[in-house]
Amino acid sequence: MVRFSGKSVYKGITMGSVVLLDKAGCQVKRGKVEDTDTEAARVRVAIEQAKEQLRSLYDKAVKEVGEASAAIFEVHQMMLEDEDYLESIDNIIQTENVNAEYAVAITGDNFAEMFAGMDDDYMRARAADVKDISNRLVNNLYGHEEIDFNAMEPSIIVADDLTPSETVQMDKEKILAFVTVHGSTNSHTAILARMMNIPALVGVPMELDRIHNGMTAVVDGFSAEVIFEPTEELCVKTQKRIREEKEKNLLLQDMKGMETITQGGREIKLYANIGSISDVGYVLENDAAGIGLFRSEFLYLGRSDFPTEEEQFQAYRQVVQTMAGKKVIIRTLDIGADKQTDYFNLGKEDNPALGYRAIRICLKQPDIFKTQLRALLRASVYGNLSIMYPMIISTDEVRKIYDIMREVQQELEEQEIPYTLPEQGIMIETPAAVMISDELAELVDFFSIGTNDLTQYTLAIDRQNERLDDFYNPHHKAVLKMIQMVINNAHKHGKWAGICGELGADIDLTEEFVRMGVDELSVSPSMVLRLRKRIREITL
Ligand code: PEP
Ligand code: MG
């Protein structure tokens, strides 16, 4: 039995078998070799293996998602035959006397950078593909097995780190828990784990080479511990605790169908946060009154090209239709910082959290923005949709957004495409937006306070930096005063204000938020019933 402590992201308990997500791509080591011919031969074997893998991925994708979406795997097979790419690998091995893994990784980086710098959009998008095939080759060279998530039994995922784009691609039904060596409790990967309602630990100092697939582990989100190869006694105890947790959750089911009102009869809109269409099931299951934050950027992650207007329209339409008239607030693209995807070619920045991200990208690259707005306006016909813009710092930005919105409306009218103009609000997640919230309130329909970023920017603490977790204090007086100021300014102009950051689900602050006058709280679906219970206890 080996026990490690980390930082808990979601309080839950589970037991199951481990799947180790070993990402060779991150840690390719450079090694000197004598026999360069053997290394070159290893590359050829890895390529044949990769082609075989891609052929079966193609066949599977054709059946599941159709020929058009499967075509990417054919493109990858063709790239594996590109002479320049193959020559570069061979050349690095022969001239630098290095191992095959290193030559492939460096070639992948070089080619990706070259594609990223091209003018042509199509070629730029190939940067992600060349990285992808290089990672596949490196994995084959290291002999790492590819995990087939479809065939996998529900398991505990153990990894060095997980990016939001990796997490979002995982089949939620197949994951019992996440345990990672790195990662901050405020990252989007952590938020996704909370949304999935599964125990998750980050910052666990495990030696991954001592952990292997199929090991049994207990993940205890309450004590922030993972225990590998537990004793029989601990297994029995854990089973009992899992049953008790289930029973506690069952008690909360009484809250379903109840109004979210305080003892004095004040109603709070209690909504849920989602990141994908499949999360809508959790929203309905937990009886949220609406969706207060649909992080639409997750539709853009884990793929190699932009989602089309049609793909986005279908996703938004499906969500608003399923919510059947209940409010659905869709936040426009908030990509950047930790939410990275290669085909955007955002490039490396010294301070990505303060960088080219979210609304800044949308205003600078209006074509990307317009595609999303068109999809949103079209989907709005099918239900109660609202749009929300992230990372706002000025009234000027809101005016520019409205200009683009008018162009989009005009285009849709000219093309005789039906649409409705939804309610439009903004996220308040920068101190600048807080300080001018009086002026912003005149321009928009509502505010939703993003406490995750507001804490980061107010306290000057990178929410991604795991070493700063202890300093990241969303209970800081400065943050709470800002929330009060935003609510007051919204009300002064007859607008409503909610909280959609993680702090909205903090039971210790619920009463304080209600006293501040908050109108809405949008939280991860698993927190809805707990929060309803808490609000119903409040006497003002
Ligand atoms: C926030 O910043 O509080 C927020 C809700 O947005 P995100 O966590 O996606 O940045
Ligand atoms: Mg944010």
Side-chain angles (χ1 to χ4, degrees):
M1 186 162 94
V2 203
R3 189 184 290 261
F4 297 100
S5 293
K7 291 178 272 187
S8 177
V9 166
Y10 182 81
K11 291 196 167 87
I13 181 157
T14 193
M15 183 165 69
S17 78
V18 164
V19 166
L20 182 64
L21 206 69
D22 207 352
K23 292 180 285 171
C26 320
Q27 309 152 335
V28 176
K29 292 199 182 83
R30 186 181 207 268
K32 276 274 171 215
V33 296
E34 294 294 320
D35 184 358
T36 52
D37 289 343
T38 304
E39 291 306 294
R42 287 182 62 223
V43 174
R44 286 194 292 278
V45 173
I47 287 175
E48 286 318 307
Q49 202 183 339
K51 283 186 186 164
E52 190 53 49
Q53 291 160 346
L54 289 164
R55 267 193 291 274
S56 60
L57 276 175
Y58 175 82
D59 292 342
K60 191 159 162 268
V62 168
K63 278 190 217 127
E64 286 172 11
V65 289
E67 220 162 293
S69 305
I72 190 65
F73 298 117
E74 275 190 326
V75 174
H76 283 197
Q77 286 181 61
M78 269 148 50
M79 287 175 110
L80 282 172
E81 283 167 9
D82 182 86
E83 275 181 20
D84 294 330
Y85 178 75
L86 300 178
E87 262 173 30
S88 164
I89 297 173
D90 207 44
N91 190 46
I92 293 175
I93 294 176
Q94 305 295 352
T95 57
E96 297 183 34
N97 283 73
V98 286
N99 53 322
E101 291 85 350
Y102 178 77
V104 170
I106 291 295
T107 300
D109 287 349
N110 291 345
F111 273 63
E113 216 164 288
M114 178 181 75
F115 282 129
M118 289 183 171
D119 287 337
D120 183 88
D121 280 352
Y122 177 82
M123 294 312 283
R124 263 209 308 276
R126 301 286 73 78
D129 295 315
V130 80
K131 269 206 182 144
D132 215 351
I133 58 162
S134 305
N135 283 344
R136 178 176 295 285
L137 288 182
V138 171
N139 271 318
N140 290 348
L141 284 163
Y142 275 128
H144 289 144
E145 273 174 50
E146 226 180 339
I147 298 166
D148 180 354
F149 281 103
N150 288 324
M152 184 178 98
E153 288 297 309
S155 305
I156 294 166
I157 304 291
V158 176
D160 187 50
D161 202 356
L162 286 169
T163 64
S165 75
E166 284 161 338
T167 317
V168 82
Q169 287 178 75
M170 291 179 185
D171 179 351
K172 293 161 200 166
E173 303 301 320
K174 300 288 176 74
I175 299 170
L176 294 175
F178 287 124
V179 186
T180 63
V181 178
H182 297 288
S184 124
T185 49
N186 310 300
S187 68
H188 283 92
T189 301
I191 290 173
L192 281 168
R194 278 195 280 270
M195 224 129 74
M196 289 181 194
N197 201 4
I198 54 171
L201 304 180
V202 295
V204 181
M206 312 167 278
E207 282 170 45
L208 290 184
D209 24 354
R210 294 179 53 197
I211 292 159
H212 51 80
N213 289 343
M215 261 180 160
T216 302
V218 170
V219 182
D220 185 344
F222 296 95
S223 64
E225 282 177 311
V226 54
I227 302 111
F228 293 100
E229 306 287 38
T231 57
E232 188 55 39
E233 191 192 343
L234 182 59
C235 289
V236 174
K237 258 193 193 158
T238 306
Q239 296 288 15
K240 185 165 169 266
R241 284 186 56 205
I242 292 173
R243 274 197 307 275
E244 284 167 0
E245 271 309 299
K246 271 205 182 126
E247 277 159 23
K248 260 196 224 159
N249 285 335
L250 269 178
L251 283 179
L252 275 177
Q253 302 303 307
D254 291 349
M255 286 291 124
K256 283 192 184 169
M258 298 259 192
E259 285 179 300
T260 308
I261 46 169
T262 63
Q263 293 279 320
R266 210 181 117 208
E267 182 165 11
I268 306 292
K269 287 181 266 186
L270 188 52
Y271 295 162
N273 296 346
I274 65 164
S276 69
I277 306 175
S278 58
D279 294 335
V280 179
Y282 302 125
V283 176
L284 297 175
E285 200 179 298
N286 289 287
D287 193 33
I291 291 170
L293 169 64
F294 178 178
R295 289 182 164 93
S296 72
E297 60 276 7
F298 286 128
L299 296 178
Y300 292 70
L301 297 184
R303 43 185 299 147
S304 55
D305 212 343
F306 292 95
T308 61
E309 176 185 327
E310 195 55 29
E311 277 176 273
Q312 290 191 59
F313 162 67
Q314 294 298 351
Y316 305 145
R317 179 189 56 75
Q318 202 174 325
V319 173
V320 291
Q321 270 182 338
T322 314
M323 288 302 289
K326 296 196 181 99
K327 191 178 276 301
V328 176
I329 303 178
I330 303 183
R331 173 174 78 185
T332 58
L333 182 63
D334 185 13
I335 211 96
D338 62 327
K339 288 173 283 196
Q340 292 285 342
T341 178
D342 289 336
Y343 64 88
F344 267 83
N345 294 314
L346 297 178
K348 285 250 176 303
E349 292 180 306
D350 285 343
N351 292 304
L354 306 179
Y356 187 54
R357 55 172 295 197
I359 203 70
R360 301 168 188 178
I361 298 178
C362 292
L363 292 175
K364 281 263 179 212
Q365 292 175 258
D367 287 350
I368 297 176
F369 195 30
K370 276 180 158 181
T371 304
Q372 180 168 39
L373 291 179
R374 282 176 64 99
L376 287 167
L377 262 57
R378 287 172 56 199
S380 178
V381 173
Y382 295 84
N384 185 358
L385 187 154
S386 301
I387 303 183
M388 172 157 84
Y389 304 105
M391 287 291 296
I392 295 294
I393 57 166
S394 71
T395 50
D396 226 34
E397 285 173 340
V398 178
R399 291 202 179 88
K400 282 189 184 133
I401 292 169
Y402 289 168
D403 287 343
I404 296 175
M405 181 60 102
R406 268 189 293 276
E407 282 175 38
V408 168
Q409 284 176 264
Q410 206 174 338
E411 282 168 22
L412 288 171
E413 271 155 36
E414 278 163 15
Q415 293 163 355
E416 295 180 10
I417 297 175
Y419 77 89
T420 53
L421 183 64
E423 195 187 33
Q424 295 174 81
I426 56 171
M427 293 204 55
I428 302 282
E429 49 185 347
T430 63
V434 174
M435 298 313 288
I436 59 162
S437 50
D438 198 4
E439 289 169 57
L440 287 166
E442 284 183 43
L443 288 179
V444 301
D445 296 317
F446 64 91
F447 286 155
S448 186
I449 307 171
T451 50
N452 309 334
D453 277 319
L454 188 58
T455 306
Q456 143 163 284
Y457 297 127
T458 304
L459 305 185
I461 287 175
D462 178 0
R463 66 193 262 199
Q464 284 302 113
N465 188 334
E466 58 199 72
R467 290 163 72 191
L468 299 179
D469 273 355
D470 291 343
F471 294 93
Y472 182 96
N473 173 19
H475 287 219
H476 195 293
K477 256 194 205 150
V479 178
L480 298 178
K481 279 187 170 182
M482 285 186 172
I483 294 174
Q484 181 70 78
M485 184 173 174
V486 172
I487 296 172
N488 291 350
N489 281 331
H491 290 175
K492 204 164 111 187
H493 295 276
K495 309 294 164 70
W496 63 264
I499 300 176
C500 65
E502 297 293 291
L503 199 62
D506 191 328
I507 298 276
D508 293 339
L509 287 176
T510 310
E511 180 158 351
E512 191 163 347
F513 291 148
V514 172
R515 285 182 186 280
M516 284 182 182
V518 80
D519 302 288
E520 176 242 24
L521 293 170
S522 190
V523 299
S524 105
S526 58
M527 285 304 293
V528 167
L529 295 176
R530 250 173 275 191
L531 221 59
R532 177 170 296 155
K533 185 165 182 293
R534 178 71 196 98
I535 290 169
R536 289 176 63 87
E537 288 161 1
I538 295 174
T539 42
L540 286 184

